[in-house]
Amino acid sequence: MIQKTVIAQKTRLLAGAATSAVLLVLGAAPASAQTTPTSSADAVTPGSAAVQTQAAPADPKANSETGQDIVVTGTIFRRTNTETPSPVSVITAANIAARGLNTTADVIQSISAGNGGSVPQGFANGFASGAQGVSLRGLSTNSTLVLFDGLRPAYYPLADDGQRSFVDLNTIPGAIVDRVETLRDGASSTYGADAVGGVVNVILKKEIRGVSGNVEGGLSERGDAGQQRARLTAGYGSLADQGFNFYVSGEYQHQNALFANQREFPYNTKNLSSIQAGGGYTGANGNTNFLAPSTSSSSSTTAAVVRPATYTPGNIFSGVPIAGGKYQVLQQGGCAGAAQPNIAHSNVNGQYCEQDLVNQYSQILPDQTRFGGTAHLTVNVGANAQAYLTGTFYESIIFAQGTPSSLRSNNPTYTYGLVLPSTLSNGTLNPQNPYAATGQGALIFYRFGDIAQTLKNTSQTYRIAGGIDGKFGSDGSWGYTLHGTYMGTNLTQDRTGNINIAGLTTAINTGAYNFVNPSANTDAVRSLISPNQQSKAHSETAEVQGILTHAFFDLPGGPVNLGVGGEFRYENIYDPSPNPGSQFLDINAFSAVGHRYVTSGFFEVNAPVLKQLEVNVSGRYDHYSDGFNHFSPKVGAKFTPIRQFAIRGTYSEGFRAPSIPETSGNVIGFVNYTPPAAVQAAHGGNSYVGTYSLGLNSVGNPNLKPETSRSFTGGAVLQPVRWLSLTVDYYNIHKKDLIFNPADSTYANTYLAGGALPAGITITPNAADPANPGLRPTPAFVNAAYINGQSLQTSGIDGQISASVPLGHGIKLTSALEGTLVLEYKVNTGVNGVYDYLGTLGPYNTSSASGTPRWRANWQNTLEAGPYSLTATTYFTSGYKGYAADYNGVGSCDAGQTPASTYLYNGDVSRTVGGALQCTVKHFLSVDLNGSVKVNDKFTFYLIVQNLFDAHAPFDPNTYGGNNYNPAWASSGIIGRAFKGGASFKF
């Protein structure tokens, strides 16, 4: 089956590439498909359906002819010439509409400079489930600065992996976005902390007139993954004629849930045994309890299974399985009588049940509902100033359904020894314990199939911002800016189905819960074991910023501009443990509570030394109330020897401040872990040494230092003819004093081998293997506090080509190609040497096993012909090796060198090592098509086909973000071909 899938994928990829080439001539979509500008401020300029690069080396006319001046991301100066020494790309509202993307988050995630470490929409089981974050250069979400109109929003209350604070892209109202600017360069000298990998600045429209909106609906070709969207905007007033503009905008969108069993193999199961591999091996069956239940894991199904055990009377958690004891099915009706049918096994280990929990319960996409509104006022203050005030409310509701909870856990309490006692609390023999008459306990393996596990995240965001920009002086050479913002996010998490330890203890000791026939249990008993649980978290940011600029004197190339500014910022995160008192099993007790104040001063000098040479120097000093300071300098230059060609480059130093979770938080993350082959052999390959969840316990450290960075860029801009522009930029980033949790799975291997652990690393072991009590127990947790110490080196090349070609007879072709090639990505761990993550699944921990692909690219082609338009957008991510140095050591594609899931195969009831099952994960290429027709000046209808060729997500059994696929790069491949249709209007 895998061979057939690969052939089919190759056919689709070739077809996709060919179709994209054809669509360079044929492709297009309307600038007005979902955007309805009604004023000069909103009007779509020629060619704006393509990605606009800040590339044109010598054509300031685009703004100077209209008298407009703007502030480009990365500088504090207003200018008519948008080309600065730093590389900036711009995605306009028309471009977003042409691509047919639903949200601003989707647009930002498609940026080619984004790499491993982002938080994708489909990662519903992550710490920050339901939120989305971007990671430029693969430096993770906490090294990418996200701005709204040049100001900082609040962090999402929950940190990615409990450590990395980030901005939730879903809080950005898409209906009023004017453009998204991406600065692909360090910018701490302008913006302060976190702008190491780059800056994403979402700029809202300042003027909208009339009434406009759109409605849209869609679903996949398979009849699922439905989505609906509606927007309505109304504005009044002309800044040019009346001196003011006021608009209000509202939007609603909904995405239906998608389950694994709604997709085909291999995304709908953990059982890969149908895959045929060389040497007579087959893919591993990863179903729960394909092998006999493990006494050192949560391996349980919805059919109760028991085995005899000794225990201390009065302590139901003290069970120790009796050596040689056989498993026995307790469930009435056997394995098939469970809430979801189980597969029966009977062998030398006894009788037990196998269950495909992925197929029966796993969710690919949660149910998502988002709605919100914005009010925005812009007023001209005299002839030389303009003020604005805006307020936004946005609510996001994410509802995820999970796998029923097991009563076996090691978080926060070790319950692997849980038994049904021989005697109930009233002194009678326990009728559910088949060994009660002999005084033995019944070690139980069970999931509560009659209690649904759900998580509902309700996030409410409030934001207000305002400011004034203007000029003064007889010649208008002085400029000033005063901006302020406040944003707060309230997050409520409602959980069902988690097991309350006290309630479980009572139910077992009294015999109240019926494990033999769970359908006979009352709601009262279920509520005793699993009461509804709610937790609340909050984050907020307040910021005030002032800037003063002046053109002092002229050089041969023009006036020298000096700008100075100051900023005060307040940050607060209140994220108490969602499991206070450790009352529930498997609710991670992550927490982060703290606030701080940041005071900053900054400057920038822009000197056009010659008409052909511009030099820019900037710097910023930040003081944190946490107890550290940092100065960040930057210098850049642009040389334009001829109008058609420019060379540019920058050097900068930056920093990332320790996040509040890193200084005062606590979190336990879990990774899939399989003991080394030698350890498996020593235990006879039994279930005790099978793959299980290893806890990595991270503790906040108030003595952390900031991460620091050094980066430089160098590139060229070529515009041989007016309709064609090409840019190439090299980037090189070095970070040191990385903040990390030194607890990774390699120390679990060291511990099992009897080696010495570094200072600060401790191991919490599991209980011993009952069959081999003399051997070292497997590790349950690797414990450590965050520290500084590692360094990171990455470099690469960005390339962009844009063209806008009038073809005559009212037909225009617009094309934009954007790509990023990563040349290196290495982390010097110190203790374990240098890890090379390029083209692999690493860094496994900080990228959430999304990896570091070498290539990412997108190519948009638009053809407009009168009222008709068609756009084709191609998205490409290169393949990678299915191993990660920080997951299971430095690896290769040889047997035994890759993560466990890539090389384990099964025989009858044991697994043996063979050649790699899927060491190389294939590249992913998909094409979206958007066509529209403008019926008249008021109405436009459009149809969008996403994933036109139904490209399947590449098979990846190594990542944990999705089941046998990587949601960071191939989410559209798991949904498959999908259709959306809608209409936009304006009056």
Side-chain angles (χ1 to χ4, degrees):
M1 292 182 66
I2 285 295
Q3 291 178 345
K4 292 180 180 179
T5 301
V6 170
I7 293 172
Q9 284 183 336
K10 288 183 177 178
T11 302
R12 294 188 190 98
L13 294 176
L14 291 172
T19 300
S20 295
V22 171
L23 286 169
L24 178 57
V25 180
L26 299 178
S32 58
Q34 301 168 24
T35 307
T36 54
T38 58
S39 72
S40 60
D42 299 327
V44 178
T45 57
S48 62
V51 174
Q52 295 181 350
T53 64
Q54 180 246 40
D59 186 16
K61 295 181 180 179
N63 290 310
S64 61
E65 288 179 353
T66 62
Q68 294 180 336
D69 59 349
I70 63 172
V71 177
V72 179
T73 301
T75 179
I76 63 177
F77 297 119
R78 303 188 71 83
R79 51 194 292 161
T80 56
N81 185 339
T82 61
E83 301 85 40
T84 68
S86 294
V88 178
S89 58
V90 182
I91 303 176
T92 66
N95 178 257
I96 295 172
R99 293 189 182 188
L101 298 175
N102 273 356
T103 66
T104 309
D106 293 338
V107 176
I108 295 173
Q109 295 286 29
S110 71
I111 297 170
S112 67
N115 210 289
S118 63
V119 180
Q121 175 184 357
F123 205 6
N125 296 321
F127 284 90
S129 59
Q132 292 192 67
V134 63
S135 169
L136 296 179
R137 307 304 188 203
L139 298 180
S140 82
T141 52
N142 58 13
S143 289
T144 299
L145 181 62
V146 176
L147 303 173
F148 294 175
D149 277 329
L151 298 173
R152 289 179 180 248
Y155 293 121
Y156 189 63
L158 305 183
D160 182 24
D161 281 345
Q163 174 189 0
R164 296 177 292 278
S165 295
F166 70 100
V167 173
D168 180 15
L169 304 177
N170 291 321
T171 61
I172 305 172
I176 56 174
V177 170
D178 182 66
R179 63 190 186 276
V180 178
E181 295 184 350
T182 303
L183 174 66
R184 294 173 283 118
D185 190 10
S188 289
S189 66
T190 302
Y191 301 111
D194 308 339
V196 175
V199 180
V200 176
N201 189 8
V202 181
I203 300 171
L204 305 183
K205 296 177 180 178
K206 67 167 60 176
E207 181 177 15
I208 297 176
R209 298 201 301 270
V211 179
S212 62
N214 77 291
V215 292
E216 177 182 294
L219 74 168
S220 79
E221 186 178 57
R222 295 161 176 81
D224 49 31
Q227 52 184 288
Q228 307 85 39
R229 182 170 63 135
R231 292 174 173 174
L232 181 64
T233 301
Y236 176 77
S238 168
L239 289 171
D241 299 329
Q242 297 168 282
F244 78 95
N245 179 262
F246 176 75
Y247 68 79
V248 292
S249 179
E251 61 186 58
Y252 168 88
Q253 56 183 311
H254 179 258
Q255 170 78 56
N256 294 345
L258 181 66
F259 291 85
N261 58 22
Q262 295 176 281
R263 287 299 171 264
E264 63 275 12
F265 181 89
Y267 316 115
N268 61 357
T269 181
K270 277 290 187 182
N271 184 359
L272 303 180
S273 60
S274 61
I275 298 176
Q276 301 297 315
Y281 294 103
T282 61
N285 185 339
N287 283 348
T288 299
N289 292 349
F290 165 71
L291 303 179
S294 170
T295 57
S296 65
S297 75
S298 61
S299 58
S300 303
T301 71
T302 53
V305 172
V306 295
R307 65 176 288 182
T310 60
Y311 75 104
T312 301
N315 182 2
I316 63 172
F317 299 104
S318 62
V320 176
I322 296 174
K326 305 294 185 181
Y327 292 95
Q328 177 179 336
V329 178
L330 197 63
Q331 170 72 43
Q332 178 178 295
C335 297
Q340 291 282 354
N342 286 213
I343 301 170
H345 284 264
S346 180
N347 50 46
V348 295
N349 297 300
Q351 297 178 339
Y352 55 90
C353 304
E354 171 192 344
Q355 189 169 15
D356 191 342
L357 295 173
V358 167
N359 185 270
Q360 295 174 355
Y361 296 104
S362 182
Q363 205 169 38
I364 293 173
L365 291 175
D367 185 272
Q368 305 170 65
T369 302
R370 297 187 176 95
F371 58 89
T374 298
H376 190 284
L377 172 67
T378 307
V379 178
N380 292 336
V381 182
N384 296 314
Q386 191 174 82
Y388 78 97
L389 180 67
T390 184
T392 296
F393 169 79
Y394 212 81
E395 180 165 315
S396 175
I397 303 172
I398 310 297
F399 184 77
Q401 300 181 51
T403 302
S405 294
S406 171
L407 47 64
R408 299 175 57 79
S409 177
N410 62 349
N411 180 32
T413 300
Y414 189 91
T415 65
Y416 292 160
L418 182 62
V419 298
L420 301 180
S422 58
T423 305
L424 298 177
S425 56
N426 62 6
T428 63
L429 288 180
N430 188 346
Q432 299 190 78
N433 179 354
Y435 320 111
T438 63
Q440 297 175 336
L443 192 72
I444 185 166
F445 303 77
Y446 178 68
R447 289 185 182 273
F448 291 89
D450 58 331
I451 303 177
Q453 186 181 69
T454 66
L455 171 63
K456 179 183 177 183
N457 281 353
T458 303
S459 171
Q460 295 180 325
T461 297
Y462 309 83
R463 179 178 182 266
I464 185 170
I468 185 169
D469 301 90
K471 298 178 180 180
F472 65 94
S474 58
D475 57 356
S477 61
W478 290 87
Y480 65 91
T481 296
L482 181 63
H483 289 175
T485 185
Y486 170 83
M487 177 173 168
T489 298
N490 298 322
L491 176 67
T492 301
Q493 294 189 295
D494 293 289
R495 293 176 171 87
T496 68
N498 289 97
I499 307 305
N500 182 272
I501 299 170
L504 176 65
T505 302
T506 299
I508 289 179
N509 280 326
T510 61
Y513 186 86
N514 191 333
F515 292 95
V516 177
N517 181 17
S519 63
N521 289 306
T522 65
D523 290 340
V525 170
R526 295 187 180 111
S527 295
L528 171 68
I529 291 176
S530 179
N532 295 345
Q533 193 263 356
Q534 185 180 86
S535 60
K536 293 180 180 291
H538 175 73
S539 66
E540 58 185 340
T541 293
E543 178 184 14
V544 177
Q545 180 187 93
I547 299 172
L548 184 66
T549 63
H550 180 56
F552 279 92
F553 55 89
D554 287 343
L555 290 176
V560 174
N561 285 286
L562 170 66
V564 295
E567 177 183 308
F568 176 79
R569 189 170 75 252
Y570 169 74
E571 298 175 351
N572 177 47
I573 290 180
Y574 179 73
D575 179 20
S577 170
N579 194 9
S582 299
Q583 303 174 61
F584 290 84
L585 295 178
D586 293 328
I587 295 182
N588 201 318
F590 56 86
S591 64
V593 176
H595 67 272
R596 62 189 178 196
Y597 303 91
V598 186
T599 306
S600 309
F602 49 92
F603 74 91
E604 182 178 348
V605 178
N606 194 76
V609 180
L610 302 170
K611 290 184 178 180
Q612 298 84 6
L613 178 63
E614 175 185 348
V615 177
N616 184 280
V617 178
S618 57
R620 177 175 172 128
Y621 179 83
D622 291 274
H623 170 71
Y624 279 72
S625 61
D626 302 47
F628 56 83
N629 312 305
H630 196 273
F631 176 72
S632 306
K634 182 175 182 178
V635 60
K638 184 187 70 173
F639 178 59
T640 311
I642 59 174
R643 185 169 185 244
Q644 292 80 14
F645 180 71
I647 300 172
R648 62 189 178 190
T650 65
Y651 171 86
S652 63
E653 297 178 5
F655 76 107
R656 182 184 76 80
S659 67
I660 291 174
E662 289 170 331
T663 58
S664 62
N666 182 83
V667 64
I668 301 175
F670 289 87
V671 297
N672 293 332
Y673 175 73
T674 303
V679 175
Q680 296 182 53
H683 287 258
N686 64 14
S687 61
Y688 180 84
V689 286
T691 300
Y692 67 97
S693 294
L694 173 69
L696 305 179
N697 184 22
S698 306
V699 181
N701 180 358
N703 298 316
L704 290 171
K705 301 183 298 182
E707 297 179 352
T708 58
S709 68
R710 181 276 305 148
S711 63
F712 61 85
T713 66
V717 182
L718 177 65
Q719 191 174 23
V721 291
R722 190 176 181 85
W723 55 267
L724 177 65
S725 177
L726 304 91
T727 71
V728 177
D729 290 281
Y730 170 80
Y731 70 88
N732 187 298
I733 303 172
H734 181 79
K735 288 179 67 178
K736 63 180 181 179
D737 293 326
L738 299 190
I739 299 171
F740 70 103
N741 173 16
D744 66 42
S745 57
T746 59
Y747 294 117
N749 294 343
T750 302
Y751 157 80
L752 287 172
L757 295 172
I761 303 290
T762 62
I763 296 291
T764 302
N766 284 311
D769 181 0
N772 300 278
L775 297 178
R776 176 167 290 201
T778 53
F781 297 96
V782 183
N783 311 294
Y786 293 113
I787 61 173
N788 295 96
Q790 297 182 345
S791 63
L792 182 153
Q793 176 68 38
T794 184
S795 64
I797 298 174
D798 294 320
Q800 296 179 325
I801 304 174
S802 60
S804 181
V805 185
L807 301 179
H809 305 288
I811 302 174
K812 183 180 69 176
L813 171 66
T814 305
S815 181
L817 173 65
E818 175 189 51
T820 297
L821 170 64
V822 183
L823 298 176
E824 63 176 333
Y825 194 107
K826 296 179 180 179
V827 172
N828 189 333
T829 66
V831 175
N832 295 314
V834 176
Y835 286 168
D836 187 351
Y837 293 128
L838 181 61
T840 75
L841 196 62
Y844 193 85
N845 294 326
T846 59
S847 74
S848 300
S850 59
T852 307
R854 294 176 183 268
W855 274 102
R856 287 199 74 199
N858 59 77
W859 185 19
Q860 180 177 331
N861 300 292
T862 300
L863 189 70
E864 295 174 279
Y868 303 100
S869 62
L870 186 69
T871 289
T873 306
T874 302
Y875 301 96
F876 173 81
T877 301
S878 63
Y880 50 89
K881 301 297 183 183
Y883 55 81
D886 62 331
Y887 174 59
N888 216 20
V890 178
S892 69
C893 284
D894 297 330
Q897 293 297 307
T898 55
S901 56
T902 65
Y903 68 81
L904 287 180
Y905 297 82
N906 56 271
D908 295 328
V909 293
S910 63
R911 293 173 178 172
T912 57
V913 176
L917 170 62
Q918 183 72 27
C919 186
T920 300
V921 179
K922 305 298 183 182
H923 62 272
F924 181 66
L925 184 148
S926 66
V927 179
D928 293 349
L929 195 64
N930 181 0
S932 75
V933 56
K934 187 175 182 180
V935 179
N936 52 43
D937 291 339
K938 294 183 173 60
F939 291 98
T940 299
F941 294 95
Y942 59 90
L943 177 65
I944 301 167
V945 184
Q946 294 179 309
N947 195 354
L948 177 65
F949 299 103
D950 198 27
H952 289 192
F955 176 54
D956 184 354
N958 318 298
T959 187
Y960 61 82
N963 183 59
N964 295 322
Y965 80 101
N966 194 327
W969 317 123
S971 290
S972 64
I974 200 70
I975 295 174
R977 185 184 293 115
F979 303 91
K980 295 191 296 183
S984 62
F985 59 90
K986 63 177 181 179
F987 299 97

